[in-house]
Amino acid sequence: MLPAASRSHRTRRAVAAVAAFLATVLTVSLGALPAAAASNEYLQLTKTVDRVENVAGDSYTFRIQVTCSEASCLDAELSDALGVFAGHELKNVELRGADPSLTYVTEWTSDGTTSATAPAVIKADTALRVRFTQPTVSPTGVGIQSGQTFTAALTMAVPTNLTPGTDENLTNTAQVTATNSQPASDSAAIHVTAPITVDVVPGKTWTPATQPFAVGAASTVTVTGRNAANVPADALVLQEPAQALDGAATLDSSNPFAIKDLDSFTVSAPAGCTAVQVDAYVRSGGTWSWVTGTPGPAASAGLPAGATKADVGGLRVTCTDAVAVSGTLRAVIDVTQRETHRNDASDLSLARHDLTNVASAAVTVAGRPTVSKTATAPHAVVPANLATTITKSFAPARISAGQSTTLTLTAAQLSDVAVTELRITDLGFFDTKVQFGG
């Protein structure tokens, strides 16, 4: 019989051996169990887009490919939340399994409702859900049979009414899940831009286009500028003529005021423009320069202080408020014919004068270069064509001595301008034989 101390020692060793055995059995048993779903990667998903850079109206297609491998994927489900593309048109949807045996049920959620039909326009809550219903083996169940592939193609279009200045990256993530596999997901992104464009459309007319010389004869110059930017403009400017530099000794050859005097002008302002400023190009100290006006209502627009109509060699009209998209600024300038040329005082009645008038319109948007463009209108002053006709008749045409007859002289003014005098003379007819009777 062993001593008590020896028996106790043997007991402890036996207990330890049993514990070690049980631990070994437990470890082996656990190792032999199937891996938890979280450790299996039977699902694979890839997502791509065919067009990354997009502007208003562009179409792009996302392609999603789901594959199940190694083991069948039970209760598999594909989901794709599309709300980041709210407002985009959903033009086409193609869902296809690589094999007809891969069955599925499609469900769309959009604008608070659920349907099997895809929406025409994506809303903030729009999402696609595909539940796979294919009978499977290895393991047995419902979902996607191992080795099968499913593809979804979603074609969408960027809205045509994007806010100018839009610059955003839109990332979309699709995910597929199964009860016996880790989920799989992938993302694809598009870049959507709506650049701010700055442009102006100038307009110019001068009527009549041809005019016979006559001091004071009236003609009308009309200058317009339309804000063709896709955002409101901070300033819209008309200048008549386009070429009018400070410090110039003479007027440019395109300047209508070289041969015309300002009579009057009116200004029509576009929506948003509550004040216009009129500057005048006048001669002072031997050179021409701009005199700045004071902003005021378009209806009462006038020359700047100190400038008179006779002084004017150019006009500049500025909208000093915001100008709406497509807003048009218009200046109608009435002028009259000068007797002499402003630059050299030459007589304008003696020869033809052809002038191609060039005016400008400019638009400014904060943070971007000003855009200026020109428009032209021809005008010609031709020497006056002076012409008359005269007819002479007697009634009666034959008379005897002592009888009377009436002489009629008729003259017509056929000139292309008004004349200051039309004179009829009949000399050498009256003598001792024919006397004037009154």
Side-chain angles (χ1 to χ4, degrees):
M1 186 171 181
L2 293 173
S6 178
R7 289 198 304 273
S8 174
H9 178 69
R10 292 181 62 185
T11 299
R12 287 196 300 273
R13 288 195 315 179
V15 170
V18 170
F21 172 77
L22 291 174
T24 301
V25 171
L26 181 60
T27 300
V28 171
S29 298
L30 289 174
L33 289 174
S39 64
N40 296 327
E41 296 183 353
Y42 302 147
L43 288 168
Q44 297 86 41
L45 184 149
T46 58
K47 181 164 190 174
T48 59
V49 65
D50 66 345
R51 187 187 189 109
V52 175
E53 296 295 332
N54 292 270
V55 297
D58 281 350
S59 295
Y60 56 93
T61 300
F62 283 112
R63 298 189 184 279
I64 305 167
Q65 182 171 291
V66 175
T67 302
C68 179
S69 59
E70 298 184 36
S72 296
C73 301
L74 301 180
D75 304 312
E77 184 175 301
L78 169 66
S79 60
D80 193 356
L82 302 171
V84 69
F85 306 106
H88 291 217
E89 180 185 359
L90 184 54
K91 299 178 68 175
N92 191 49
V93 177
E94 293 183 10
L95 307 177
R96 184 173 63 253
D99 189 279
S101 64
L102 178 53
T103 56
Y104 52 88
V105 175
T106 304
E107 182 179 278
W108 287 92
T109 300
S110 190
D111 205 18
T113 61
T114 299
S115 169
T117 303
V121 178
I122 296 172
K123 306 294 184 179
D125 65 342
T126 298
L128 168 64
R129 180 187 178 199
V130 180
R131 291 185 294 108
F132 296 97
T133 58
Q134 180 183 26
T136 66
V137 296
S138 300
T140 301
V142 173
I144 305 175
Q145 177 63 43
S146 176
Q148 292 284 348
T149 297
F150 175 83
T151 303
L154 311 178
T155 299
M156 296 182 276
V158 180
T160 57
N161 60 343
L162 284 180
T163 301
T166 296
D167 188 340
E168 56 188 4
N169 291 293
L170 304 178
T171 301
N172 176 238
T173 301
Q175 177 177 269
V176 63
T177 61
T179 56
N180 65 330
S181 172
Q182 281 210 39
S185 64
D186 195 14
S187 300
I190 62 170
H191 183 213
V192 176
T193 57
I196 292 176
T197 59
V198 181
D199 201 2
V200 66
V201 177
K204 179 67 190 286
T205 62
W206 192 344
T207 55
T210 301
Q211 191 172 42
F213 176 84
V215 175
S219 59
T220 301
V221 175
T222 302
V223 184
T224 60
R226 178 170 60 84
N227 175 23
N230 60 359
V231 294
D234 295 291
L236 182 57
V237 182
L238 305 178
Q239 184 170 305
E240 173 62 275
Q243 187 68 18
L245 300 178
D246 280 322
T250 59
L251 297 180
D252 187 76
S253 61
S254 67
N255 194 322
F257 296 102
I259 60 174
K260 304 288 183 177
D261 284 326
L262 175 65
D263 182 54
S264 63
F265 68 93
T266 57
V267 175
S268 300
C273 178
T274 59
V276 298
Q277 175 179 306
V278 178
D279 306 330
Y281 194 55
V282 299
R283 187 176 179 84
S284 177
T287 60
W288 292 89
S289 59
W290 287 99
V291 176
T292 303
T294 301
S300 57
L303 294 175
T308 65
K309 293 189 293 184
D311 297 330
V312 171
L315 290 174
R316 182 167 59 205
V317 181
T318 303
C319 269
T320 57
D321 295 324
V323 178
V325 174
S326 296
T328 298
L329 176 64
R330 180 186 305 273
V332 179
I333 306 167
D334 294 317
V335 294
T336 56
Q337 180 63 50
R338 288 177 56 83
E339 185 175 0
T340 60
H341 199 288
R342 280 190 196 268
N343 285 342
D344 57 16
S346 58
D347 189 342
L348 294 171
S349 69
L350 302 178
R352 179 185 176 101
H353 299 274
D354 289 286
L355 188 149
T356 299
N357 181 213
V358 182
S360 67
V363 67
T364 299
V365 173
R368 286 166 170 77
T370 295
V371 174
S372 180
K373 293 184 176 180
T374 60
T376 63
H379 183 73
V381 177
V382 298
N385 179 27
L386 301 179
T388 62
T389 62
I390 188 166
T391 60
K392 183 176 182 178
S393 63
F394 289 93
R398 290 178 64 88
I399 60 174
S400 301
Q403 292 183 319
S404 297
T405 186
T406 300
L407 169 63
T408 303
L409 299 173
T410 304
Q413 204 288 88
L414 302 180
S415 305
D416 55 8
V417 295
V419 297
T420 58
E421 181 179 296
L422 179 60
R423 180 183 300 174
I424 299 175
T425 60
D426 192 353
L427 304 176
F429 177 71
F430 299 106
D431 54 21
T432 58
K433 295 181 180 180
V434 179
Q435 297 180 352
F436 179 65

